[in-house]
């Protein structure tokens, strides 16, 4: 137990005190905001409450990634990170490194996935199938539209401007294990946040 406590203290000492304080402040404010969102929408339809909580959690995690990096970025870059990019890697997005411009083939692939998603969702809206098949196909189509289409195009646009903003979805079908799928290929916004705020803080005290 003493060794675990010592490791936790050493891990904290590796992070500047102002950054730790900023993270704690962001988490406290964010937790309160999530609770307020749930309370304010409790009597509304369940999907409204779900969206309100999800949006508030997303904003809270975004704010928690900023301490230590926001002061170095321009106002425009900071606004872009907060309002026009779903990723959670503030160090990369707000840093001074320049991204490699995406090639024409990558742009075309992103547009193709967007078109496929719209086509699949549109087809599902016109076909009646038993067992909820139509609904599932429609949801799959919207996943292609948003996660594989719009967000990939957004990544291309930011990288074309020199900003380090890799795609949120990195060819998940190429994953060779569940660890690679969830940790390096599927929804990297969540994976980055979970790795930074949950897995790493727990791994050090536990000696993992």
């Amino acid at each position: 137990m003493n060794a675990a406590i010592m490791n936790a203290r050493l891990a904290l000492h590796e992070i500047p005190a102002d950054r730790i304080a900023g993270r704690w402040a962001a988490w406290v404010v964010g937790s309160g905001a999530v609770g307020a969102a749930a309370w304010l929408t409790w009597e509304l339809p369940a999907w409204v409450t779900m969206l309100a909580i999800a949006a508030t959690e997303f904003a809270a995690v975004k704010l928690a990634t900023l301490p230590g990096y926001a002061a170095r970025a321009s106002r425009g870059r900071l606004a872009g990170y907060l309002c026009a990019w779903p990723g959670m890697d503030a160090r990369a997005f707000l840093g001074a490194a320049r991204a490699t411009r995406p090639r024409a083939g990558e742009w075309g692939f992103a547009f193709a996935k967007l078109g496929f998603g719209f086509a699949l969702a549109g087809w599902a809206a016109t076909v009646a199938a038993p067992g909820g098949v139509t609904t599932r196909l429609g949801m799959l189509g919207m996943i292609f539209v948003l996660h594989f289409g719009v967000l990939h195009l957004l990544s291309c646009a930011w990288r074309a401007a020199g900003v380090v903003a890799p795609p949120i979805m990195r060819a998940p079908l190429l994953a060779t294990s569940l660890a690679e799928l969830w940790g390096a290929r599927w929804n990297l916004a969540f994976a980055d946040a979970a790795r930074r705020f949950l897995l790493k803080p727990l791994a050090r005290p536990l000696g993992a």
Side-chain angles (χ1 to χ4, degrees):
M1 180 64 69
N2 290 335
I5 295 174
M6 182 64 70
N7 288 336
R9 289 176 176 174
L10 290 175
L12 288 176
H13 283 308
E14 294 177 3
I15 305 175
D18 59 340
R19 190 176 301 178
I20 295 175
R23 288 181 184 176
W24 275 107
W27 281 118
V28 169
V29 173
S31 299
V34 170
W39 179 71
L40 291 172
T41 60
W42 193 254
E43 296 184 357
L44 297 177
W47 66 270
V48 176
T49 302
M50 180 191 71
L51 289 179
I53 292 175
T56 308
E57 286 180 344
F58 177 81
V61 176
K62 271 282 188 179
L63 293 177
T65 65
L66 289 179
Y69 306 113
R72 308 173 189 176
S74 65
R75 292 182 180 179
R77 181 74 66 88
L78 183 59
Y81 176 74
L82 291 174
C83 304
W85 179 241
M88 297 292 178
D89 191 351
R91 179 173 59 181
F93 192 95
L94 301 176
R98 298 285 295 179
T100 302
R101 295 174 63 89
R103 297 182 178 179
E106 184 177 355
W107 283 96
F109 185 46
F111 275 112
K113 290 184 292 184
L114 180 68
F116 173 77
F118 275 122
L120 182 59
W123 178 80
T126 61
V127 175
V133 174
T134 300
T135 302
R136 292 183 177 88
L137 288 176
M139 291 179 64
L140 180 61
M142 295 313 299
I143 289 174
F144 265 92
V145 168
L146 179 60
H147 291 81
F148 292 96
V150 172
L151 296 186
H152 195 172
L153 289 171
L154 190 59
S155 168
C156 289
W158 279 118
R159 284 181 286 135
V163 179
V164 179
I168 297 299
M169 297 290 195
R170 293 182 183 173
L173 290 179
L174 299 181
T176 58
S177 66
L178 284 176
E180 182 183 359
L181 174 65
W182 297 119
R185 291 190 179 278
W186 185 272
N187 194 357
L188 295 188
F190 172 80
D192 289 339
R195 188 179 299 112
R196 179 176 176 184
F197 296 116
L198 180 63
L199 300 181
K200 285 186 177 180
L202 288 177
R204 288 174 175 175
L206 296 176

